[in-house]
Amino acid sequence: MYAEYLFLSTNLKAKFSKFIDKQTWEQLINSSIEEIVEFLRNNNYGSLLEGYVGIIKILNDDLKNIRMTVKSPYLDLMLFDLMVHDVRVNLLKSNTQQDFLGTFDVKYGAVYGQLKKRILGRAVRFLQETNDLNLVNIYIDLEVVKYSQELTKNLSLPNIKKFWELRTDLYVLKIISRLQRLNINIDIFKKHGINLSSIESFYEKTSGTYQGVLKEAENVDFDFLIKKYLLNYMTMNFKNVISGPEVVIFYFYDKWWELEDLILLLESKKNNIPKAFWERRLLKTNA
């Protein structure tokens, strides 16, 4: 596997130095909208001026290159997360007419294409029956956990398996946190035939470290926490790998999350949103 990934890994690792460092982030945070636009144009991020569709263009270009080397099951991890994004965006658009976010609509293949259709179809029906977007997003997270557990079974590289298990556990904690915060009775999911076994069995594991995560989530958006813990894990365990799927996964997620931070910064500046509302949501300055 080392030799198989060497060319792609070398190519991607050469791009690590182009990720925005903390000092530059601090400068961007205090820059004017005009200065940020100039920065984006001068650093090959000009497509972000189109909004989230710019992220989709950039990542789709990367994915075309990645797919030439990376195969199942490691490609599946990235495709799965893109697919989940598409489900949420399709649901959001149908419910709120929100056009800012876009879908990746990559070639998911028969398995993920059908899975996307099934999860989205059931989510739409659940929304029609409950008229509660919070419940529907928890349902999607339950599906994420279920299929993430299935994906874990196919991962043979220990570091990547631990990464995916951490990600799955964090999603379970996200569900638990939101059930508690919104005071939701889980019987409503059982009533609609939604399996909760992954959540009910997890309560036994919610000790030490995970209790700390739940405490942290009282003041921070949980999706931010998921990215933070995963980025820290990848930085410690993937970043210095010379060749292999770990290099690709680190590059892909780090790039995706950096682009999302830039969009958050750009839109916040554009709409004159006070720094206090968005600065702590920037992953690269707070992880």
Side-chain angles (χ1 to χ4, degrees), residues 175-191:
I175 295 168
I176 292 172
S177 174
R178 291 194 171 170
L179 288 173
Q180 292 174 346
R181 182 166 54 84
L182 298 170
N183 196 27
I184 294 172
N185 189 323
I186 61 174
D187 287 343
I188 190 168
F189 295 101
K190 294 178 180 178
K191 177 183 174 183

Side-chain angles (χ1 to χ4, degrees), residues 192-208:
H192 290 274
I194 296 169
N195 192 318
L196 289 163
S197 59
S198 60
I199 305 302
E200 292 169 332
S201 63
F202 193 85
Y203 275 105
E204 300 172 8
K205 292 174 60 178
T206 313
S207 59

Side-chain angles (χ1 to χ4, degrees), residues 72-73 75-81 83-84 87 107-119 147 150-151 154 164:
S72 180
L75 179 65
D76 294 347
L77 307 184
M78 293 172 278
L79 290 180
F80 182 74
D81 269 337
M83 183 271 292
V84 171
V87 167
K107 294 179 181 178
Y108 289 113
V111 174
Y112 288 110
Q114 287 299 315
L115 182 59
K116 175 185 171 184
K117 185 177 180 181
R118 191 188 74 77
I119 294 176
Y147 288 102
E150 290 299 314
L151 281 169
N154 300 320
W164 201 250

Side-chain angles (χ1 to χ4, degrees), residues 18 155 191:
K18 296 181 181 178
L155 301 173
K191 177 183 174 183

Side-chain angles (χ1 to χ4, degrees), residues 45-56:
Y45 288 130
S47 61
L48 295 184
L49 299 175
E50 302 173 48
Y52 206 91
V53 69
I55 294 181
I56 292 169

